Each structure stands twice: as C-alpha cells, then as structure tokens.
Amino acid sequence: GAVVSQHPSRVICKSGTSVKIECRSLDFQATTMFWYRQFPKQSLMLMATSNEGSKATYEQGVEKDKFLINHASLTLSTLTVTSAHPEDSSFYICSARVNPSTDTQYFGPGTRLTVL
Amino acid sequence: LAKTTQPISMDSYEGQEVNITCSHNNIATNDYITWYQQFPSQGPRFIIQGYKTKVTNEVASLFIPADRKSSTLSLPRVSLSDTAVYYCLVGDWGGSYIPTFGRGTSLIVHP
C-alpha cells in the first residue's frame, strides 16, 4: 500500500513552454501533498505544500505564478511549470501524507525536467 | 523546528552492520523520527519511523535513547544495493509540520 505515482517520469521541452506534472496517490486519499525540487548531488528542497480544495502554500523564494499547483481531488495534485527556462531543469518529486495523525510521508518516483 | 545533523558520508563493506546517527537536540515532545533512503534519480523511500526506544522492521532498526536527542539507524549486513543517501527527518506529523530535508548521509558499500 501507500503508493504514489508521478507522470511523466521524464520530459524535455523548449524554453518558454509550460509543463504539467501529475502526482497521484494510488491506494489512499491524501489531503496534503508536497512538492520538492532536487538539483544534482543536493538535498530535496521543499517548494510548496498542497492541500486538497485550497490554495497551495509556497516556500519563501518559490514563485507561485511560475509553479502553479492544483490539488483538485484527494488523489491528485498537479504542478505546472509555466514559461519554463533552462534554469528550471531539475528533478521534481511529490509526496503525500498517509495518515494526518501519526503520519508517514510517501514519495513519488520523481520527474526529470529538461528545458532546452 | 528540530534541526538534524548527520554525517555527510560513510563507507562500509558488504556484510557489515552500518549505524548512522542523527542528532536532533531540540526535538519536541510530539515529534516523530523518520528515516528515508534515496537512490539517484528516484524519490525517497520510507525506511522506518519511531518515537522512542527501539523500532524494528524487515529492513532496519531504529534506536532512540531516552532523551530522544539523537537516533541511530541500523542496517544489518549491508549489500552493494544499500549504497544510497539516507535522510533523517524529525517533526510533529500530526501538526503543521513541514517536512524538510537536511543534507543526508551518503553511504557507500564496497565489495
């Protein structure tokens, strides 16, 4: 149980285009999902917290107009990188909280974004 | 927010037991301790979670002393496939905890 999927696993796009990444909790409902970005040989950096039915909470320094997050259902959150540029190239990872009380956080496999 | 400190890297050999210690001196009463494993270009994988004393599962053991200011992840008889980065996270998952990752420990297992 507690499987989180991401789609696509890898995407290459041209500079200026928008890219949508989906994060799904396959066998549980997730009221809260998190989006991270990870550069090579660095740790995961939290970008935003996504709560079902409400606006996402962005970490300081993360542009909310550039990284649009939608959490329309209890099993799906999407991250849209708008007007992507080469510096947005990174590994994007989502996670979902299984149990709001004791909790364990499960991660998706990640999406490798390359902007040409 | 409890800050964690881990060794940046560790080396071991196949078949040995590996212990990775995480310091979290300002851990709060409601905080849990969770360890994750990450391979290159993959999302982190949950290993184990505990609150106090000892927790064991099929993959690892987690030792937490009475003062809870540190914790030790124990991997029995490691293999080459255990080469990965290991992260320790501390927080009150039931509250408004925002899970943040430190630098983690890069474990390299040698033949």
Side-chain angles (χ1 to χ4, degrees):
Chain A
V3 177
V4 177
S5 70
Q6 279 185 243
H7 178 80
S9 58
R10 184 182 298 268
V11 58
I12 301 173
C13 69
K14 293 181 179 180
S15 184
T17 61
S18 295
V19 174
K20 179 184 286 187
I21 302 171
E22 293 186 346
C23 176
R24 292 182 184 274
S25 56
L26 298 185
D27 49 3
F28 65 98
Q29 294 182 332
T31 55
T32 304
M33 290 183 173
F34 303 93
W35 286 95
Y36 295 83
R37 180 167 54 182
Q38 186 175 33
F39 293 106
K41 298 193 179 300
Q42 293 188 23
S43 184
L44 284 77
M45 183 188 77
L46 181 66
M47 299 175 66
T49 302
S50 170
N51 292 296
E52 186 267 338
S54 63
K55 292 183 178 180
T57 302
Y58 291 81
E59 295 299 300
Q60 189 173 9
V62 178
E63 301 175 58
K64 61 180 180 181
D65 294 331
K66 181 171 184 61
F67 299 99
L68 301 179
I69 292 173
N70 183 281
H71 194 159
S73 77
L74 288 172
T75 60
L76 174 65
S77 176
T78 59
L79 167 67
T80 301
V81 183
T82 62
S83 187
H85 292 283
E87 57 266 31
D88 298 324
S89 298
S90 187
F91 192 53
Y92 291 87
I93 308 170
C94 72
S95 69
R97 291 175 62 170
V98 176
N99 185 325
S101 58
T102 60
D103 192 77
T104 296
Q105 188 184 17
Y106 287 87
F107 288 81
T111 296
R112 174 73 61 189
L113 171 63
T114 302
V115 184
L116 303 176
Chain B
L1 190 64
K3 179 182 177 181
T4 60
T5 303
Q6 303 174 232
I8 294 176
S9 64
M10 293 182 68
D11 289 87
S12 183
Y13 292 89
E14 284 190 291
Q16 290 188 336
E17 177 184 76
V18 171
N19 296 308
I20 306 174
T21 297
C22 178
S23 297
H24 29 81
N25 291 319
N26 59 339
I27 187 170
T29 303
N30 294 331
D31 288 347
Y32 280 76
I33 301 159
T34 312
W35 285 81
Y36 291 89
Q37 174 193 56
Q38 187 182 29
F39 298 112
S41 296
Q42 294 186 28
R45 181 176 77 104
F46 170 83
I47 301 176
I48 197 165
Q49 183 181 66
Y51 183 79
K52 62 180 179 180
T53 63
K54 176 184 175 181
V55 180
T56 297
N57 60 24
E58 65 277 7
V59 178
S61 294
L62 178 60
F63 298 93
I64 306 169
D67 65 6
R68 301 199 329 122
K69 293 183 182 299
S70 67
S71 59
T72 299
L73 173 71
S74 181
L75 305 173
R77 299 184 59 80
V78 294
S79 64
L80 297 177
S81 62
D82 292 316
T83 294
V85 178
Y86 293 83
Y87 295 97
C88 161
L89 273 71
V90 174
D92 176 11
W93 298 94
S96 59
Y97 172 56
I98 304 299
T100 54
F101 284 74
R103 297 181 64 179
T105 298
S106 176
L107 171 66
I108 298 176
V109 179
H110 302 276

